[in-house]
Amino acid sequence: MTDAAPGAKIRVLIADDEVMIRSALAALLRLEGDIDVIAECSDGEHAVAEAERLKPDICLLDLEMPGLDGVDVAERLRRTVSARCVIVTRHARPGVLRRALTAGVAGFLPKSRDAGEVAAVIRQVAAGARYIDPEIAADALSDERCPLTNRELDVLRLGSNGETTAQIARALSLAPGTVRNHISTVLSKLSVDTRQQAVLVARERGWI
């Protein structure tokens, strides 16, 4: 819960790489009598730096930003500041919701919500509650379970930045041939042709 004094404005940081959306939302939220937009950030690294400097009550974070995305920012800030994070996104994939909750995000809503609804969510989260868009929550509950084993997920996770089979094998203390077998199984289970495609699928569904 925010430790702002009774009657104090809720101090909000907004991060979105689309300047028109960021500026418009900031302007509309500033019309709310109890909300003070104290920073507007263009990317995730900027958001982390400003949040650590200004100590906002709420960080309103776009999911899709270059470099650190909104969930990455929330994960970083969880270790350094007490701000509560709300994620907004155009593409509300159920797996991303699971990833956001794991990172300690307190709110999750689509960009289609108007400024009044966003303000209401900010107030709810600032008061210590959590808000998850009902449609996203319903989709998450019905989303398929991960078909990959923990070891297969380890292989994907360690190879998500282009690491070689040999590098993955060393990190997991496995033979390179065993890693190749795991990758082949992953590709078959996910019906994709490349490891990069498998990583994308796993990230979209919140498995890694």
Side-chain angles (χ1 to χ4, degrees):
M1 182 180 296
T2 176
D3 49 6
K9 289 189 175 184
I10 302 168
R11 302 169 70 252
V12 176
L13 175 150
I14 298 176
D16 193 314
D17 62 310
E18 297 183 74
V19 62
M20 289 185 64
I21 292 177
R22 183 178 74 245
S23 298
L25 181 57
L28 290 169
L29 288 177
R30 286 188 173 108
L31 297 176
E32 302 286 334
D34 59 341
I35 292 176
D36 181 16
V37 178
I38 62 171
E40 299 176 44
C41 304
S42 58
D43 58 49
E45 292 285 359
H46 187 203
V48 170
E50 286 295 271
E52 291 177 344
R53 183 176 72 89
L54 297 171
K55 305 294 192 294
D57 301 310
I58 300 294
C59 292
L60 190 64
L61 308 169
D62 181 29
L63 175 65
E64 299 91 0
M65 292 189 289
L68 298 176
D69 68 17
V71 177
D72 293 330
V73 173
E75 178 66 35
R76 290 266 292 268
L77 293 181
R78 182 171 62 169
R79 300 192 292 267
T80 59
V81 300
S82 60
R84 308 196 80 208
C85 294
V86 176
I87 298 290
V88 293
T89 179
R90 277 199 186 89
H91 309 292
R93 298 180 296 269
V96 176
L97 172 59
R98 291 195 294 273
R99 180 174 159 240
L101 293 177
T102 300
V105 167
F108 199 102
L109 68 160
K111 278 190 173 181
S112 58
R113 298 295 181 260
D114 63 36
E117 291 175 293
V118 175
V121 171
I122 288 172
R123 294 185 189 103
Q124 183 174 330
V125 171
R130 174 178 282 177
Y131 177 86
I132 306 297
D133 179 77
E135 292 183 12
I136 298 173
D139 287 343
L141 288 172
S142 61
D143 197 38
E144 64 181 300
R145 291 187 178 277
C146 177
L148 307 180
T149 66
N150 288 337
R151 181 58 83 190
E152 289 162 357
L153 289 171
D154 288 339
V155 168
L156 271 190
R157 192 176 294 111
L158 285 169
S160 61
N161 294 315
E163 290 81 355
T164 65
T165 298
Q167 289 172 322
I168 298 170
R170 282 196 298 272
L172 294 176
S173 300
L174 297 173
T178 302
V179 171
R180 283 192 288 271
N181 289 339
H182 282 311
I183 293 172
S184 177
T185 301
V186 167
L187 300 185
S188 176
K189 286 182 177 180
L190 300 185
S191 300
V192 295
D193 297 322
T194 68
R195 195 177 77 194
Q196 289 73 23
Q197 290 172 334
V199 168
L200 287 175
V201 169
R203 280 180 171 165
E204 287 184 352
R205 297 181 184 178
W207 298 337
I208 63 173

